[in-house]
Amino acid sequence: MGSALQRSLEAGAVTVTAEVMPPRGGDPSHTLAMANLLRDWVQAINVTDGSRAVMRMSSLAVCRLLLDVGLEPVLQMAGRDRNRIGIQADLLGAHALGIRNLLCLTGDSVKAGDQPAVRPVHELESVRLLQQVSAFNRGEDPVKESLPDGPTALFAGAAADPHCASWSGLKRRLERKREAGARFVQTQMVMDPQVLERFCREMAAPMEMPVLAGVFLLKSARNASFINQKVPGANIPDSLIARLDAASDPAAEGIAIAAEQVRQFAGIAHGVHVMAVRAEERIPEVLERAGLSSQQS
């Protein structure tokens, strides 16, 4: 039967996901409150895994907490911090806990984080991580012939950056992820609908991979400039930064820009993935202004 996310993507419906960040501490109440605001607006809620190489609560734990309150999670898993055995344990544990959606990532460089002396592992980067998920879905044990209790049923996706400077390199990488078992693509933030349209038409469609286009909520011109400087692959155009700078209410202008992008991108890709770091409460307004109705309306 599959998860709600899988069913929506396979049915060709406009699919919406959004992102929450685990807490930097042991109390998940704020993260759960932000996720609850998204309840009637999205098919699934993506939980980041050590984004920007900063310590936060386990994505696996938060995903289980979301399930406990009736919300469907997407478990982000980065290969940066775990060896093969640790990743295998977490994949099997996620399946046992009822988590079905997975986004397989390599992980940001530790140099980008607040503990740059940490040693990265990277035994399984995103492609090898996808291969491991596929092996478990076939019921294969990494040492013995087969898993004793049968195959897992994980719905795995991969990330991609349509703004990548090397189109041929991006294509080769995405082909490898598709061959490894990726079933959908979640993009990094997209700022140009023409770039997204080309990515979907020339790359994802021939591979039969549904695309969730990344929409990032900008808060101010300063915020946008900071992201351009600090976030790998970010390419926020000067025209949007100038628009935010000229606005009397930059936060409201950021919502307007995000709503415009959601409306445009939902007509190009299979859906959108909305990111609003420390402003998740604004996501329902973005979606409403984009013309996407609450599932309860």
Side-chain angles (χ1 to χ4, degrees):
M1 185 175 180
S3 65
L5 175 62
Q6 180 176 352
R7 294 195 304 272
S8 181
L9 288 173
E10 292 180 349
V14 174
T15 303
V16 182
T17 62
E19 196 165 280
V20 297
M21 188 178 294
R24 190 183 176 96
D27 182 359
S29 56
H30 178 73
T31 298
L32 294 178
M34 293 298 99
N36 192 55
L37 295 175
L38 305 173
R39 178 181 297 275
D40 299 329
W41 294 93
V42 302
Q43 275 71 41
I45 298 173
N46 203 301
V47 183
T48 60
D49 182 25
S51 179
R52 295 189 62 230
V54 172
M55 178 201 75
R56 290 193 177 272
M57 182 183 287
S58 159
S59 176
L60 180 61
V62 174
C63 284
R64 178 61 243 188
L65 292 170
L66 292 181
L67 281 176
D68 288 344
V69 295
L71 295 169
E72 180 168 305
V74 179
L75 171 66
Q76 280 195 14
M77 183 173 288
R80 179 193 60 223
D81 303 325
R82 307 165 180 83
N83 67 13
R84 186 184 302 265
I85 295 173
I87 286 174
Q88 291 164 347
D90 283 349
L91 288 172
L92 295 174
H95 189 268
L97 292 172
I99 297 163
R100 293 295 178 264
N101 304 313
L102 183 68
L103 186 71
C104 296
L105 306 168
T106 296
D108 299 324
S109 169
V110 295
K111 301 299 182 184
D114 55 2
Q115 300 182 71
V118 167
R119 293 181 182 178
V121 180
H122 285 310
E123 185 175 359
L124 298 185
E125 44 67 65
S126 58
V127 173
R128 292 196 293 272
L129 176 51
L130 283 161
Q131 290 170 342
Q132 179 60 80
V133 174
S134 295
F136 280 159
N137 281 347
R138 293 190 298 268
E140 298 174 4
D141 187 293
V143 178
K144 303 179 181 180
E145 289 186 1
S146 59
L147 296 172
D149 50 2
T152 57
L154 295 167
F155 183 61
D161 181 8
H163 287 284
C164 179
S166 173
W167 192 254
S168 60
L170 175 63
K171 184 177 181 181
R172 286 194 302 271
R173 184 75 171 163
L174 191 60
E175 286 173 339
R176 290 183 64 206
K177 291 178 179 181
R178 181 68 182 91
E179 291 168 2
R183 306 279 297 280
F184 68 95
V185 182
Q186 179 181 300
T187 79
Q188 307 288 0
M189 68 174 77
V190 178
M191 290 293 159
D192 187 337
Q194 292 182 333
V195 169
L196 176 64
E197 194 278 332
R198 184 189 178 201
F199 174 79
C200 292
R201 172 173 43 85
E202 296 184 9
M203 202 170 298
M207 298 183 202
E208 298 182 339
M209 295 183 72
V211 175
L212 294 172
V215 174
F216 193 95
L217 177 62
L218 301 170
K219 302 172 187 173
S220 65
R222 181 179 178 182
N223 169 241
S225 297
F226 176 83
I227 291 168
N228 271 348
Q229 294 170 9
K230 298 295 184 180
V231 177
N235 187 23
I236 302 168
D238 291 340
S239 59
L240 287 186
I241 296 176
R243 181 174 163 184
L244 288 163
D245 191 46
S248 58
D249 186 343
E253 194 66 22
I255 290 172
I257 291 169
E260 291 166 12
Q261 292 175 336
V262 168
R263 191 161 48 246
Q264 286 180 311
F265 298 169
I268 298 171
H270 291 75
V272 293
H273 173 69
V274 185
M275 298 164 277
V277 178
R278 289 189 290 275
E280 294 90 347
E281 70 278 1
R282 301 177 192 172
I283 293 176
E285 183 178 355
V286 169
L287 297 174
E288 185 174 31
R289 291 187 62 173
L292 298 182
S293 299
S294 164
Q295 296 174 30
Q296 295 298 313
S297 63

